[in-house]
């Protein structure tokens, strides 16, 4: 299998630590419902930090390593994963800080009216009056519901934080990368 570009992979979490003595890793998921992480049969690990300006893609690709998943389960807010070829605590500790990435095409299909947060990033947001509110540059969870950060994708400057709830989100058109919100630009 060819090593994919980081543009073809979705980051789902990061290795927090080793778990136990048999080589399991403890992963801090980026989602409160890490269904894609728990159901993946293989994962890419990268020890390279998040992409920054001027970093050549060839250096990023060289650091990606594919692992088969033997087992993945939730444990106290983290995901504990057993990887094929990682058999002891020392090997698992060597992966601490690695980013966990999965090919987008292996994600389970989202249910209707459900969205993967990564799919919302980059969508333009407009209100019911057709006014531009910015672009979704980040999505977070405050515990009660999702929050989309609208702003400038170039500078990553957040202009507004908008609750991602049915009372506010009127339409999500992923093919057009457009979200219609019952929200005002000056709120």
């Amino acid at each position: 299998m060819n090593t994919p570009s980081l543009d073809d992979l979705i980051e789902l979490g990061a290795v927090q630590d080793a778990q136990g003595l048999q080589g399991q890793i403890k992963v801090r998921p980026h989602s409160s419902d890490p269904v894609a992480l728990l159901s993946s049969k293989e994962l890419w690990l990268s020890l390279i930090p998040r992409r920054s300006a001027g970093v050549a893609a060839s250096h990023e690709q060289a650091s990606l390593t594919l692992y088969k998943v033997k087992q993945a389960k939730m444990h106290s807010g983290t995901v504990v994963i057993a990887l094929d070829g990682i058999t002891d605590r020392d090997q698992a500790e060597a992966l601490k800080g690695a980013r966990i990435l999965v090919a987008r095409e292996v994600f389970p299909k989202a249910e209707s009216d459900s969205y993967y947060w990564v799919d919302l990033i980059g969508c333009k947001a407009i209100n019911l009056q057709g006014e531009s509110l910015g672009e979704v540059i980040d999505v977070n969870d405050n515990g009660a519901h999702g929050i989309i950060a609208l702003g400038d994708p170039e500078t990553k400057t957040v202009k507004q934080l908008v609750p991602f709830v049915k009372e506010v989100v009127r339409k999500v058109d992923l093919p057009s990368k457009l979200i219609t919100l019952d929200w005002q630009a000056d709120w």
Side-chain angles (χ1 to χ4, degrees):
M1 173 182 248
N2 292 336
T3 302
S5 158
L6 282 181
D7 293 334
D8 299 329
L9 299 173
I10 306 299
E11 185 174 342
L12 299 180
V15 178
Q16 188 173 337
D17 209 344
Q19 174 77 25
L21 301 175
Q22 304 299 313
Q24 296 98 337
I25 56 172
K26 186 187 307 184
V27 175
R28 184 181 61 256
H30 293 332
S31 169
S32 61
D33 185 15
V35 64
L37 186 58
L38 288 166
S39 64
S40 294
K41 301 297 180 210
E42 57 186 27
L43 304 170
W44 291 91
L45 268 65
S46 173
L47 287 168
I48 287 187
R50 290 184 182 275
R51 181 184 308 229
S52 59
V55 174
S58 61
H59 294 302
E60 293 175 350
Q61 289 179 345
S63 81
L64 289 171
T65 305
L66 181 64
Y67 290 93
K68 298 263 185 237
V69 176
K70 294 193 296 188
Q71 181 183 30
K73 62 183 179 183
M74 287 299 295
H75 179 70
S76 301
T78 62
V79 178
V80 175
I81 300 175
L83 298 173
D84 198 30
I86 305 297
T87 58
D88 65 39
R89 187 169 182 86
D90 290 340
Q91 290 175 312
E93 284 181 344
L95 298 174
K96 189 173 180 176
R99 296 164 51 205
I100 306 286
L101 305 124
V102 173
R104 179 59 176 96
E105 66 264 12
V106 301
F107 275 40
K109 183 165 173 34
E111 297 174 19
S112 65
D113 293 336
S114 295
Y115 311 96
Y116 285 111
W117 286 2
V118 68
D119 293 335
L120 300 176
I121 295 173
C123 287
K124 304 274 187 234
I126 61 169
N127 63 15
L128 295 173
Q129 294 73 34
E131 299 170 319
S132 175
L133 300 172
E135 187 173 308
V136 179
I137 58 174
D138 198 10
V139 183
N140 290 297
D141 187 344
N142 73 357
H145 52 73
I147 302 279
I148 55 175
L150 302 178
D152 182 340
E154 298 291 320
T155 63
K156 299 291 185 200
T157 303
V158 176
K159 295 179 184 171
Q160 288 188 326
L161 296 174
V162 179
F164 196 77
V165 295
K166 65 182 176 185
E167 295 82 9
V168 174
V169 179
R170 294 306 170 99
K171 183 177 179 188
V172 175
D173 183 352
L174 288 179
S176 299
K177 301 291 280 177
L178 185 67
I179 300 174
T180 305
L181 304 171
D182 187 359
W183 200 259
Q184 296 303 312
D186 58 356
W187 285 357

